Amino acid sequence: MRWLVGWSSTAAGAPGGAVGYGGRDEGRYDGGDTYGGQVGYDGETLHPVGSQLLWGDPDPLWAVGDWRPDEVRVVKADAQTRIAVLGTCGASDEQLRVGLFAARGGALRHLTAWPGSYTAVVQVGRRVTVCGDLAGARPVFHTPWAGGTAYATAALPLADLIEANLDFGHLAALLAAPDVPAALHDSTPYDGVRRVPPGHALILRAGAREIAGYDPVASLAVAAPPADPDSAVDGVRDALVDAVRARLSAPRHVPDIDPGPVPGMGPAERRAARGMPVPGIGADLSGGPASGTLALLAAGLPGMPGTVLGHGTGAGERLLAVTFNDLTTRAREEELQRAGALAANPRLHHVVVTGAEEALPYADLDGPLTDEPGPSLVTAARHRARLAAGSADHFTGYGARQVLDAHPARLADLLMDRKRRHLVRPVAALTKADGSVLVPARVYGAARRLARTPYRAGVENLADRLLHRSFEDDPGGAVGASLAALTWAGPGPAARWLTGEALAEVSVLLQNSAHRAGVGPGQRPGDYRARAALTRHAADLRILEQAAEIRSQRLHAPFLDNQVVRACRALPETLRVQPGARAAILRTVLKGAGITDLPPGWGAPAHGTTATTARSGLRLATDPLLTLFDAPLLAEAGLIEARVVRKAVRAAASGEPLPLDGLADLISLELWLRRLLSRRGTCWTGTPARARAVPAGIAPQRRAVSSGG
């Protein structure tokens, strides 16, 4: 894991800390010896374990973890005006300086408009500004501490700092309504640690904090101006090309030197067995349009994508394309064939990673502790098997569906803008998939109801459903899923297995949110639901990166970059809702980049295999899962009853139509709690041994509204 952490104190100077700056005037961090700090319980100086100081007191900032030298840059205008950028950023030092001057005057959007995925921190005197991203893949957290405010890009270090207990209201909302921002609000699993919403920045002035948005949001009162589809797609192409080029232009990194041969193993097998990625740049190649687009762009852009400085022929090695072949199912044979056809490109070196029962979900329940819980914990071993064969810099297509596809609730947005004729094709596609002549009337009626339902009424309706345990059967097929999504807010798939007390607490959270002054997102329902889905997906990808992490490897998800997200949001809804829109947009992107030779059927929708593999994994892991829920921590916290979950696991393994996503949420949260409570140590040095998160274990507070409300 890698994060940055710092604080802003009310005093002009922090007692017990040295004043100094460890960075150069501009460029990369030089690893200076000075550090800033704060006095701990017994007069000792606090600083993060394994950290490098970027600047010192009175408002110090550290970079923690295995950051590469080129991933940490500090540019300074004067002694009290500077900017730190951590991550992959395509801006030059001069562009960072211009952004610093703009931020000094209060303009924050400039800090988020460079290609790449990064976190920017600006200090102007005693004012510190930390910018989160639009998707939520690089969040910012904060908590009151020592009369000021501490902040970080991970929640666990802040929880250690204040010895935070668990926020059971947040955990209940994470299971009951994971896609509803009104339920989660700005809470985290740790009581007292808060999250900055996506598209916002944390501004600290001598310890006082403020949350400010830096990106405009579509208004509910005024329709968006009509966008030209061609120019909007051109914008997506330019943003994607810039995002890929920012990664290609970064220095190459060689993983740890291979210690030597192993009998019967080639170099690639040896690296994979030792958990070492291949030097250079690679990409996923699943056969789908998103990963294929990134692989072809990365291989086609100039800059010798596979070459490591000082290694190779100097003429450029081929880009490593990794395809995962699940041997337990044959539902993806067409995608695998398309991946093989794409890999025939001479710029690509194709590697197929096979996985049998040992790579199914739930096959490996051991793993590292992540910053927060997430459903990807149950599939981390499956992804780690694929990533172990990847490169030191590995492109993935995560997020393409969320930023390009149309959430079903966008049909209501079209009705609000009086664009009924654009509903014809998506409704016809649903009718064809279902085969019922009643589909158009049902979909149109649901979209019309949503368009006429105020946000407050939608949230209150969900609160009432949770309070009275009103859960419908798992919707089957595309039509059922679309109808269930045509609401402002819906219950999560795990809600049906929560206790009445937990559901009542989430219901109270929702009611308080609905009655809060100035309530309402100020957005259209489709845009609101799409942003919430993107935030949840980005958060889960962040957890997946930590759970399946390969040493010395970086995962790159260009579709979640700020500029790519902005370009995709500029796409007109009338284009976005059409069947096959994502594949058509990406085909146009590749054509604009000079890539036209695509295999037949490229971009065709894949038949869902997630449910099949999840049920197979449940069937094989039934006994370990039942053991896991013999005395679960979730039951000790009052969120579930163990016998109810054990019964659901047996039923799902036997083939009953239960929401498998809900079981994944429950199991992953139980795994995360066990890893958190079995953890030793802390993220800080100079603190007593007791200074860590959840020092007392599971100690639920019996109250109607948790501190996360």
Side-chain angles (χ1 to χ4, degrees), residues 141-168:
F141 304 90
H142 63 92
T143 185
W145 182 73
T149 300
Y151 62 90
T153 53
L156 184 56
L158 299 183
D160 280 346
L161 189 64
I162 66 172
E163 296 181 292
N165 286 312
L166 291 170
D167 186 339
F168 295 98

Side-chain angles (χ1 to χ4, degrees), residues 171-251:
L171 298 181
L174 204 59
L175 295 173
D179 291 326
V180 184
L184 299 172
H185 195 40
D186 63 349
S187 62
T188 68
Y190 311 102
D191 192 10
V193 179
R194 293 288 185 258
R195 183 193 317 269
V196 176
H200 289 69
L202 174 67
I203 303 175
L204 305 174
R205 294 180 176 89
R209 60 186 175 274
E210 174 191 352
I211 308 297
Y214 60 77
D215 221 54
V217 177
S219 172
L220 183 64
V222 180
D228 176 45
D230 294 336
S231 61
V233 174
D234 289 344
V236 174
R237 179 200 62 209
D238 295 341
L240 271 179
V241 169
D242 288 344
V244 173
R245 184 177 284 120
R247 273 82 173 182
L248 297 182
S249 60

